[in-house]
Amino acid sequence: MEKSLNIIARILSGIFSPLLMGTYAMILALWISYLNYTPMVAKLTVLSVTLIATCVIPVITIFVLWKAGIIKDPQLNTGRERLIPYMVATAGFIAVCVYTRIVNAPLWLTMFYAGATLAMIIDTTLTGKWKISGHATGMGGLCAILFYMMISAISVYPITVEFLCAVLAAGLVCTSRLILERHDIWQILAGFANGFICTLVPTLLFT
């Protein structure tokens, strides 16, 4: 039973890796909001830029650091090993913010990624001393995005079910991190609150 739980926890941790959250958020924004009416080529271009900036480049960075012996585990199990990859990921989110302004995307979309950047900065600042959960931060941000889309009526259809599914997924992912003993409960709660608040508040204030 314990082995099965560990396998499930690892699968959930992989599917909802922090490095994929930026891409998942963009998928939600482009296909659930009124941006769904944007031409497919434009949507795929924006999505590709987001994937490369917030996932592919950080993954390459982790791989290079691992091969160079600078980090011992590609899963970044220690806070200090996370520092450089987190800084690269933060730069990726900044790049997406700039890119969304260049292509005249709605301000709320830019603010999503500005909030995610702020959350990443907080995680990066704390990670050397206290291993705040990046998975929980990512899930908090994803829940915040759906919550904003739900209350601001920018979605093309009611998304209450999608929001509740995201909350359920967040609970499962956070539980998985506890099962795998990657974090304690306070690191999980702090991560989720960081992602949710940092993503939601700037979007509410500036849009």
Side-chain angles (χ1 to χ4, degrees):
M1 183 64 177
E2 182 178 348
K3 184 178 180 180
S4 297
L5 285 176
N6 280 329
I7 292 173
I8 294 171
R10 289 181 184 278
I11 292 172
L12 287 171
S13 294
I15 293 173
F16 294 99
S17 166
L19 295 176
L20 292 171
M21 290 298 105
T23 302
Y24 290 161
M26 188 61 77
I27 290 172
L28 293 175
L30 292 176
W31 271 271
I32 291 181
S33 79
Y34 59 79
L35 292 176
N36 182 50
Y37 301 111
T38 304
M40 182 60 70
V41 172
K43 289 195 291 187
L44 292 178
T45 300
V46 173
L47 185 61
S48 297
V49 170
T50 304
L51 177 64
I52 292 170
T54 63
C55 181
V56 175
I57 293 177
V59 166
I60 292 173
T61 300
I62 292 170
F63 179 78
V64 171
L65 292 174
W66 178 50
K67 285 298 184 179
I70 297 175
I71 61 175
K72 296 180 180 179
D73 190 338
Q75 295 186 24
L76 308 176
N77 290 324
T78 66
R80 294 189 180 279
E81 289 185 335
R82 296 179 174 205
L83 184 58
I84 295 176
Y86 272 33
M87 291 173 67
V88 173
T90 300
F93 276 94
I94 293 173
V96 173
C97 289
V98 173
Y99 178 72
T100 57
R101 300 319 308 146
I102 292 174
V103 299
N104 295 316
L107 182 58
W108 55 262
L109 185 60
T110 301
M111 294 314 300
F112 281 166
Y113 287 88
T117 301
L118 177 59
M120 283 298 303
I121 290 172
I122 292 174
D123 276 7
T124 303
T125 302
L126 292 176
T127 193
K129 299 179 180 179
W130 193 59
K131 193 181 168 188
I132 188 171
S133 174
H135 280 79
T137 298
M139 294 307 299
L142 208 64
C143 289
I145 288 171
L146 282 168
F147 181 73
Y148 176 83
M149 293 173 67
M150 183 174 62
I151 65 173
S152 63
I154 63 173
S155 59
V156 293
Y157 60 87
I159 58 170
T160 303
V161 172
E162 285 80 355
F163 172 69
L164 293 177
C165 287
V167 172
L168 175 60
L172 292 174
V173 173
C174 290
T175 301
S176 296
R177 305 309 287 168
L178 292 173
I179 290 173
L180 295 172
E181 299 182 347
R182 298 288 192 250
H183 301 281
D184 61 38
I185 186 64
W186 297 110
Q187 292 166 341
I188 293 289
L189 292 175
F192 186 87
N194 179 38
F196 191 89
I197 294 171
C198 286
T199 303
L200 181 63
V201 172
T203 309
L204 289 175
L205 289 178
F206 298 106
T207 59

